[in-house]
Amino acid sequence: MNDLLASLLTGWESEVVEFKQASGDYDTDRIGEYFSALSNEANLRTAERAWLVFGVNDRTRSVVGSGYRRDANRLQGLKMQVAQGAEPSVTFRNIHELDHAGGRVLLFEVPPAPRGMPIAWKGHYFARAGESLTSLGLDKLEEIRRQTLLTDWTAHRVAGATLAHLDERALAAARESFATKYANRFAGEEVRNWPLEAFLDRAKLTRDGELTRATLLLLGKAEAAHLLLPNPAQLTWKLEGSERAYEHLGPPFLLNTSALYQRVRNIQVRILPEDSLLPVEVAKYDQRVVLEAIHNCIAHQDYARNGRIVVTEQPDRLVFENEGGFFEGQPGDYVAGNKTPRRYRNPFLAQAMAELNMIDTMGYGIHEMHKGQARRYMPLPDYDLGQSGAVRMTIHGGVVDPAYSRLLIQKTDLPLADVFALDRVQKRLPIEDAVAKRLRKAGLIEGRKPNYHVSAAIAKATAGQADYIRMRAQDDAFYAKLLTDFLEKFGQATRSEINRLLLGKLSEALTQEQKVNKINNLLTKLRRRGLIYNAGVDSAPQWRLAEKPAEKK
């Protein structure tokens, strides 16, 4: 890194390098503005990266040292702060800390703006004019946006499309989603009162006030789909197994992704056999994981191929298929959540979906789907790129190897990288020798290469079944039922009586203070829902069941 710093100092400041002394703290908004400017300039100059450097006097080119955020966790926390303020949501690739003879130097590595997607900071686009920070001019803004207009199917304006072709329910949902995403910037009522044209422009759904294919895909009426022909603009749900059925769902995709999810038979699944620890029931599919998968299909579909997005429901899995090869890298690159894509097949659509809170643009989608499956002790998603020009992704709704699920229940703190490797073991897929050595040392796998299997001796990893049951937390509904049953039987309860009822039943993983706080939160929740009320005073509460309203005759 010393050589890199020397080369940056020799080249002096340019549109893709900015030096700041930053001897103490430095305004985060100012950093965000420089991030926007440097990212946009790197895009325009086809640079692989830009640099914001702290600890250098910008007049003398000398290293003077920076005291900015000496705490490592707080320094790395800047990445999340930048991701929250940048539009679309991107952040520094890396923050390098250099111990230079002249003092501490920080090098913030800024990625170039994705093709066709200029980077804004809190709604404003920035650029550089020599060594000065300035607003991104319309010429530069259009230069970036035009980069993909010829190849981005979703960015094309739709001849003859008007506001009358948009679905009212979808528009209302879009405003709510936008308001939720930017709740720290706009009041919900303000967003709901914007003129429709202004809202669509802010949500990156129109070009120069005209509706685009992306607008109709996300918000269009079903009967407006003909404006997108020959593309069918359809999400297809298909049921296979002892029963067979299908349904085609057109625009508005903002609403119909949830409609498709409602078609899926999402029953409760008992993961473990009765004689293995404690039977655990979970929903067959997690709604967030399924919607993330559908939204990814929409964002990455190659619409120029005029195909449908197909979700096939099989007895033990869901298979998602979209047209177009995996666009950048390989699925495994995104599992850890560290890789950010530099390019998008449909940047106009992707940016609009990000504005409506349907996806992020940081590459976290695959990471979140893997985490969601692991949290539910289920096999991780599988990707099949074997067919040219298509992507198939499978989400499992049942157990592949009981030992794998049993292990995840017992060891909830496993790193995702280890869960990923264990998932490959249960599916009889190869793992690297170094990974196998680590898992074997931890007692997580047994057997010889290539016939590894997940260790079945799970009881040794914990203090046994009784400890597991004592440490396992129940749902709030379980504790609420205990309390309401008590009140129904005895009429009222003091706080000390409630403590005696619940404290011994809460998870032993909680401290005494955490247990008391949990009971406080439970009482508050039930009171706000109108299920119980305090008939005494705050210093001496007497909790009773609220009276049910009389039935109308």
Side-chain angles (χ1 to χ4, degrees):
M1 297 307 294
N2 276 301
D3 291 342
L4 171 63
L5 177 61
S7 68
L8 294 177
L9 289 171
T10 302
W12 199 219
E13 278 192 336
S14 67
E15 279 81 358
V16 292
V17 181
E18 174 69 30
F19 297 105
K20 291 294 175 188
Q21 184 165 326
S23 55
D25 205 0
Y26 200 85
D27 183 60
T28 302
D29 278 332
R30 196 65 171 167
I31 292 174
E33 292 170 2
Y34 276 113
F35 179 87
S36 168
L38 291 166
S39 183
N40 290 329
E41 294 293 348
N43 170 291
L44 292 165
R45 285 157 180 73
T46 64
E48 292 188 3
R49 59 186 61 83
W51 295 97
L52 175 62
V53 184
F54 280 4
V56 175
N57 187 295
D58 57 353
R59 294 185 178 180
T60 65
R61 287 192 281 181
S62 58
V63 176
V64 295
S66 171
Y68 179 76
R69 294 197 182 189
R70 290 192 176 276
D71 179 75
N73 290 331
R74 188 163 175 260
L75 177 62
Q76 293 300 321
L78 179 65
K79 286 185 178 181
M80 182 58 68
Q81 288 180 279
V82 170
Q84 290 172 342
E87 304 167 23
S89 180
V90 292
T91 190
F92 296 111
R93 282 184 185 157
N94 284 296
I95 301 176
H96 307 278
E97 192 168 3
L98 180 61
D99 186 14
H100 188 273
R104 175 174 175 261
V105 177
L106 299 175
L107 296 99
F108 301 89
E109 187 176 351
V110 180
R115 285 178 54 81
M117 299 174 68
I119 301 298
W121 175 255
K122 294 188 174 178
H124 299 282
Y125 297 97
F126 292 90
R128 302 290 299 286
E131 298 177 8
S132 301
L133 183 70
T134 185
S135 296
L136 185 67
L138 285 177
D139 55 341
K140 290 185 175 182
L141 184 68
E142 286 305 311
E143 183 179 345
I144 295 177
R145 285 177 170 169
R146 283 197 302 268
Q147 290 168 351
T148 56
L149 288 184
L150 295 178
T151 56
D152 184 355
W153 183 92
T154 67
H156 285 240
R157 300 179 181 91
V158 180
T162 68
L163 297 180
H165 289 106
L166 303 182
D167 184 273
E168 290 294 334
R169 290 192 309 119
L171 286 169
R175 288 183 188 262
E176 292 300 322
S177 295
F178 185 92
T180 299
K181 180 178 176 67
Y182 293 110
N184 63 339
R185 200 179 310 170
F186 306 112
E189 194 62 28
E190 179 184 357
V191 175
R192 286 187 284 273
N193 288 332
W194 284 341
L196 181 54
E197 294 87 343
F199 167 70
L200 294 174
D201 179 64
R202 284 179 179 262
K204 310 294 194 301
L205 282 158
T206 53
R207 283 181 53 205
D208 302 323
E210 295 185 57
L211 302 190
T212 63
R213 289 168 174 167
T215 323
L216 293 184
L217 285 174
L218 298 178
L219 305 179
K221 294 178 178 177
E223 54 268 29
H226 72 277
L227 295 171
L228 299 173
L229 290 173
N231 190 285
Q234 288 179 339
L235 309 171
T236 295
W237 165 76
K238 182 171 64 171
L239 177 66
E240 291 186 347
S242 58
E243 297 179 283
R244 304 175 71 87
Y246 72 90
E247 185 173 355
H248 300 306
L249 302 167
F253 284 177
L254 179 64
L255 300 181
N256 282 340
T257 52
S258 294
L260 189 151
Y261 170 76
Q262 295 299 328
R263 304 297 186 273
V264 175
R265 302 179 178 199
N266 198 12
I267 61 174
Q268 291 293 111
V269 175
R270 174 169 288 186
I271 291 185
L272 296 178
E274 296 252 358
D275 59 348
S276 296
L277 301 180
L278 186 72
V280 175
E281 288 192 354
V282 296
K284 192 173 184 178
Y285 302 108
D286 182 271
Q287 181 176 2
R288 289 170 298 181
V289 172
V290 174
L291 290 179
E292 182 71 43
I294 301 173
H295 292 163
N296 276 354
C297 287
I298 294 171
H300 300 295
Q301 170 90 338
D302 186 349
Y303 292 94
R305 295 169 66 92
N306 296 329
R308 297 185 179 97
I309 293 167
V310 180
V311 179
T312 303
E313 181 181 352
Q314 298 177 2
D316 62 346
R317 66 194 64 192
L318 295 175
V319 180
F320 302 79
E321 300 174 78
N322 68 271
E323 295 284 346
F326 200 85
F327 196 64
E328 181 168 318
Q330 296 292 318
D333 300 339
Y334 297 88
V335 172
N338 297 325
K339 180 178 174 62
T340 299
R342 294 178 58 186
R343 301 176 299 125
Y344 298 86
R345 175 177 284 117
N346 307 305
F348 193 90
L349 175 63
Q351 189 167 16
M353 292 179 70
E355 294 298 302
L356 300 185
N357 229 9
M358 297 176 73
I359 62 169
D360 68 72
T361 50
M362 290 290 291
Y364 292 150
I366 290 176
H367 173 71
E368 290 300 326
M369 286 190 288
H370 279 70
K371 282 177 56 180
Q373 287 292 94
R375 277 195 301 265
R376 300 168 54 253
Y377 328 121
M378 288 287 195
L380 302 186
D382 292 323
Y383 280 83
D384 178 4
L385 309 183
Q387 181 181 343
S388 178
V391 174
R392 288 168 54 97
M393 192 267 282
T394 298
I395 292 178
H396 295 266
V399 171
V400 170
D401 179 356
Y404 163 89
S405 298
R406 194 176 300 135
L407 190 151
L408 294 192
I409 289 175
Q410 299 260 350
K411 300 181 76 65
T412 57
D413 58 346
L414 282 177
L416 187 58
D418 286 354
V419 178
F420 182 74
L422 290 168
D423 181 67
R424 291 184 63 84
V425 169
Q426 74 163 340
K427 294 170 181 172
R428 304 294 185 262
L429 298 173
I431 58 175
E432 296 179 0
D433 290 345
V435 174
K437 182 178 180 180
R438 183 178 75 246
L439 297 181
R440 185 190 296 278
K441 185 176 180 180
L444 302 178
I445 63 170
E446 301 171 349
R448 294 180 177 274
K449 181 180 179 180
N451 299 314
Y452 298 121
H453 56 269
V454 179
S455 175
I458 302 303
K460 296 178 182 178
T462 67
Q465 296 182 8
D467 283 349
Y468 171 74
I469 294 171
R470 290 205 319 274
M471 299 294 282
R472 181 175 180 267
Q474 300 288 341
D475 293 333
D476 280 355
F478 171 81
Y479 303 115
K481 185 70 164 57
L482 289 177
L483 177 57
T484 55
D485 285 351
F486 183 95
L487 294 178
E488 187 172 358
K489 183 174 183 179
F490 298 104
Q492 64 182 28
T494 64
R495 178 55 191 263
S496 60
E497 289 172 332
I498 293 173
N499 286 346
R500 284 197 298 273
L501 173 69
L502 297 180
L503 281 175
K505 296 177 175 60
L506 292 170
S507 167
E508 292 188 11
L510 300 177
T511 66
Q512 186 69 12
E513 182 180 0
Q514 289 172 328
K515 290 180 179 181
V516 171
N517 287 338
K518 185 170 182 65
I519 294 175
N520 288 341
N521 294 336
L522 178 67
L523 292 171
T524 300
K525 181 187 293 186
L526 295 178
R527 178 177 58 79
R528 288 177 176 173
R529 290 181 177 176
L531 299 176
I532 64 174
Y533 71 99
N534 180 11
V537 295
D538 289 344
S539 58
Q542 291 284 343
W543 293 100
R544 298 177 182 176
L545 284 176
E547 294 183 2
K548 296 180 181 179
E551 293 183 3
K552 295 182 179 180
K553 296 182 178 180

